[in-house]
Amino acid sequence: ELAVKDGLTGLHTHRALQARLEEEILRAARARTPFSVIMCDIDHFKSYNDRYGHQAGDAVLRGVAAELAAGVRDVDLASRYGGEEFVLVLTGVQKLEARTVAEQLRRSLEAKVFDLGGGVTSKVTASFGVAEFPAEGAIASQLIRAADERLYRAKHAGRNRVVHD
């Protein structure tokens, strides 16, 4: 189980994500259907650890992971990419629909009050980048790069936003 599930968040691991991306690319290429990748990063994550301690940071990671997992379908994949970054794979979903999913997730996170433990609560925001197979990448690394570049642009445009083009 730990080979495919992250011990802290319960989401799929980076390794499981890579395997799923390869499967999705083969399936989508055969069926000539798109799928989308959403990369998400918690805004100012380091501040939760610095201000409230690492247990609070872990609570934020678990809470964000739960929101992301609840916001996608069972056929989709929610994974922890590393640190405070997450990647979602939306099967059979074009980029504009994926942008809508990302925006719903962004709003859901923005509205939620996170319990950091010890009676401390906080709001959390995240930034998102969206990319689509095959239009923006024919291999996994190209898709991840496209989503990551858009995530980077979301961060530099002020955070707490979705960038899809």
Side-chain angles (χ1 to χ4, degrees), residues 29-78:
R30 273 193 313 270
R32 296 180 192 247
T33 59
F35 72 90
S36 292
V37 172
I38 300 171
M39 185 170 272
C40 166
D41 183 79
I42 300 169
D43 296 330
H44 304 292
F45 178 73
K46 188 177 179 307
S47 67
Y48 299 103
N49 286 334
D50 292 349
R51 187 169 182 189
Y52 304 111
H54 288 277
Q55 288 181 333
D58 288 351
V60 169
L61 289 170
R62 282 191 299 272
V64 168
E67 287 293 311
L68 295 175
V72 297
R73 306 165 302 172
D74 290 341
V75 299
D76 299 326
L77 178 95

Side-chain angles (χ1 to χ4, degrees), residues 137-154:
I139 61 173
S141 61
Q142 291 171 335
L143 283 170
I144 293 293
R145 187 178 314 112
D148 192 38
E149 287 171 0
R150 290 171 181 156
L151 169 61
Y152 184 80
R153 289 191 3 237

Side-chain angles (χ1 to χ4, degrees), residues 11-151:
L11 297 182
H12 287 85
T13 61
H14 188 274
R15 173 190 277 168
L17 165 68
Q18 294 300 327
R20 176 65 179 271
L21 279 173
E22 295 304 325
E23 291 169 11
E24 279 301 313
I25 287 168
L26 292 173
R27 185 202 56 74
R30 273 193 313 270
R32 296 180 192 247
T33 59
F35 72 90
S36 292
V37 172
I38 300 171
M39 185 170 272
C40 166
D41 183 79
I42 300 169
D43 296 330
H44 304 292
F45 178 73
K46 188 177 179 307
S47 67
Y48 299 103
N49 286 334
D50 292 349
R51 187 169 182 189
Y52 304 111
H54 288 277
Q55 288 181 333
D58 288 351
V60 169
L61 289 170
R62 282 191 299 272
V64 168
E67 287 293 311
L68 295 175
V72 297
R73 306 165 302 172
D74 290 341
V75 299
D76 299 326
L77 178 95
S79 66
R80 184 173 179 196
Y81 193 70
E84 70 275 12
E85 288 187 326
F86 302 89
V87 172
L88 309 172
V89 178
L90 306 184
T91 301
V93 172
Q94 294 180 333
K95 184 169 59 170
L96 291 180
E97 185 181 345
R99 178 195 65 186
T100 300
V101 170
E103 182 59 29
Q104 289 168 342
L105 290 167
R106 188 197 67 73
R107 287 182 185 170
S108 167
L109 288 170
E110 182 180 48
K112 185 173 178 61
V113 176
F114 287 80
D115 179 359
L116 305 184
V120 176
T121 60
S122 181
K123 298 288 239 168
V124 173
T125 62
S127 300
F128 296 81
V130 181
E132 180 187 294
F133 172 88
E136 296 160 332
I139 61 173
S141 61
Q142 291 171 335
L143 283 170
I144 293 293
R145 187 178 314 112
D148 192 38
E149 287 171 0
R150 290 171 181 156
L151 169 61

